[in-house]
Amino acid sequence: MLTESMEDYLEMIYRLNEEKGYVRAVDLAEALNVQPSSVTRMIQKLREEGLIQYEKYRHIALTDKGRRLGYFLVWRDTVLKEFLTLLNAKVGVEEQVEGIEHYITPPTMCLIRNLIMYFRAHPEGLEEVQAMSKLNKYPEG
Amino acid sequence: MLTESMEDYLEMIYRLNEEKGYVRAVDLAEALNVQPSSVTRMIQKLREEGLIQYEKYRHIALTDKGRRLGYFLVWRDTVLKEFLTLLNAKVGVEEQVEGIEHYITPPTMCLIRNLIMYFRAHPEGLEEVQAMSKLNKYPEG
Ligand SMILES: [Mn+2]
Ligand SMILES: [Mn+2]
C-alpha cells in the first residue's frame, strides 16, 4: 500500500518518462515543486517498493511493476477529471481529483469509466443530467 | 475549513443527536471508537468554529451553523454511498466514501445527486452501464 505522496511521485515519474524519455531527480523536484531532499527520500522509498531503479547521478528508471502502476495512476487521474468535467463541475476539478484519487479502488475506477462511456453513447442522457442543475436546489436528494 | 477529522466528528454528533435527541462526550467516544481525551480536544475545536455549544458535564448541542453543516455531511456520506452502490461497487464502499467525501465540494455533490436521480428515472440506462462491467477489461478507457 503506497502513501498518497508516493502515488503522486510515481505518477509524475511516469508522466515525465513518457514526455522526455528519461527522468532525473532534479526534473522531478521541479515538476512537483518540492525540495531535492524530499525527492531523495521518496526515491529511496519507491526503490524499496520495487517500483523504480536508481543509482545516484543516474536517471530514474521504472521497473515493470512501477510502469504498470504508473500507467494506472495516470489513467485514474485522467478518468476522474473527465468524469467531473462531464458532470459539468465548474471549479476545483484538479483539487478534488488530487484528493479523491487516492481512495478510489481499481474496480470502482472501471465503473466510473463505464459511466463515461455510457454518456458518450447517450449524449441526450448527459444533457438531461446537466439540465437538472438548473432545476434542483441543494441538498434535497 | 475543517479537517477530515473535524468533519467526521461533526457528522457523528449530528447522527447521534438525530438518533437519541442528545449527545454526550462519552457517547461520541464510543461511537467513533476513540479515547475520551481525543473527544475533549475535538469538542474544543468544534466550539471554536462556532459549530457546537458545550459546558463540561453537560450535553453537546449543535449551533445553527453546526446543524446545517452536520446535515450536509450526513447527506454527502449517504449520497456517495448510494452512488457507488448504484454503480455496482462490490467491495470497499464504506472505506472509499470515508476517504473521498472530504474532498468533494458541495456543487460536485449536487451533480452526483443529479446522476443518481437520472438513473432512478432511467433504469434501462443503469442496466446498460452495469452490463458494461462484463464486457470491458481495465484499463482501456
Ligand atoms: Mn493526489
Ligand atoms: Mn471520513
Side-chain angles (χ1 to χ4, degrees):
Chain A
M1 189 64 196
L2 302 195
T3 63
E4 296 192 21
S5 183
M6 284 163 84
E7 289 192 346
D8 287 335
Y9 269 82
L10 186 62
E11 183 181 330
M12 187 57 83
I13 291 170
Y14 187 91
R15 282 184 195 280
L16 290 173
N17 192 54
E18 287 291 292
E19 218 173 87
K20 313 181 17 165
Y22 64 87
V23 187
R24 296 174 307 171
V26 60
D27 301 324
L28 199 50
E30 194 186 307
L32 290 167
N33 198 20
V34 294
Q35 296 299 318
S37 59
S38 306
V39 172
T40 305
R41 246 193 331 272
M42 195 55 81
I43 282 175
Q44 178 59 21
K45 286 190 194 172
L46 292 173
R47 201 164 65 137
E48 279 164 19
E49 293 287 332
L51 296 164
I52 60 168
Q53 291 186 314
Y54 180 71
E55 307 292 334
K56 212 164 181 185
Y57 309 119
R58 308 203 55 158
H59 292 167
I60 299 164
L62 289 160
T63 62
D64 281 349
K65 184 182 168 194
R67 187 178 308 278
R68 274 198 307 276
L69 183 52
Y71 179 82
F72 168 71
L73 297 176
V74 170
W75 176 79
R76 184 178 68 179
D77 189 87
T78 306
V79 170
L80 286 172
K81 281 180 186 154
E82 194 174 346
F83 174 62
L84 291 192
T85 304
L86 186 86
L87 279 186
N88 229 5
K90 304 284 189 204
V91 287
V93 169
E94 301 264 339
E95 294 80 353
Q96 290 180 86
V97 169
E98 208 41 65
I100 67 182
E101 59 184 1
H102 307 287
Y103 296 97
I104 303 189
T105 63
T108 298
M109 281 310 307
C110 291
L111 298 172
I112 290 173
R113 187 266 324 268
N114 292 349
L115 211 48
I116 294 172
M117 288 173 68
Y118 171 83
F119 282 115
R120 276 197 201 134
H122 298 278
E124 76 290 354
L126 186 58
E127 277 171 34
E128 197 176 323
V129 174
Q130 291 175 345
M132 287 176 178
S133 300
K134 285 158 205 139
L135 298 172
N136 296 315
K137 295 272 174 293
Y138 132 85
E140 44 168 17
Chain B
M1 191 62 196
L2 303 194
T3 63
E4 293 190 23
S5 184
M6 285 164 86
E7 288 192 346
D8 287 334
Y9 269 80
L10 186 62
E11 182 180 330
M12 188 56 84
I13 291 169
Y14 187 91
R15 282 183 195 280
L16 292 173
N17 193 54
E18 288 291 292
E19 219 172 86
K20 315 182 14 165
Y22 63 88
V23 187
R24 296 174 306 171
V26 62
D27 302 324
L28 199 51
E30 196 187 307
L32 289 167
N33 198 21
V34 294
Q35 296 299 317
S37 58
S38 305
V39 172
T40 305
R41 247 195 329 271
M42 197 54 83
I43 281 175
Q44 179 58 22
K45 285 189 194 173
L46 292 173
R47 201 163 65 137
E48 280 164 18
E49 293 285 332
L51 296 163
I52 60 169
Q53 291 184 314
Y54 181 71
E55 309 290 335
K56 215 166 180 184
Y57 307 121
R58 309 204 53 160
H59 292 166
I60 299 164
L62 289 159
T63 61
D64 282 349
K65 184 183 169 191
R67 188 178 308 277
R68 273 197 308 276
L69 184 53
Y71 179 83
F72 167 71
L73 296 176
V74 171
W75 175 79
R76 185 179 66 180
D77 189 87
T78 307
V79 170
L80 285 173
K81 279 178 187 155
E82 194 175 345
F83 174 62
L84 292 191
T85 305
L86 186 87
L87 279 186
N88 229 5
K90 304 281 188 208
V91 287
V93 169
E94 302 264 339
E95 294 81 354
Q96 291 179 84
V97 169
E98 208 41 65
I100 67 182
E101 58 185 1
H102 307 286
Y103 295 99
I104 303 189
T105 62
T108 298
M109 281 309 307
C110 291
L111 298 172
I112 290 173
R113 186 265 326 266
N114 292 349
L115 211 49
I116 294 172
M117 289 174 67
Y118 171 83
F119 283 115
R120 277 198 200 133
H122 298 279
E124 77 289 353
L126 186 59
E127 277 171 34
E128 194 175 331
V129 174
Q130 291 174 346
M132 286 177 179
S133 300
K134 286 159 204 138
L135 297 172
N136 298 315
K137 296 268 175 293
Y138 133 84
E140 44 169 16

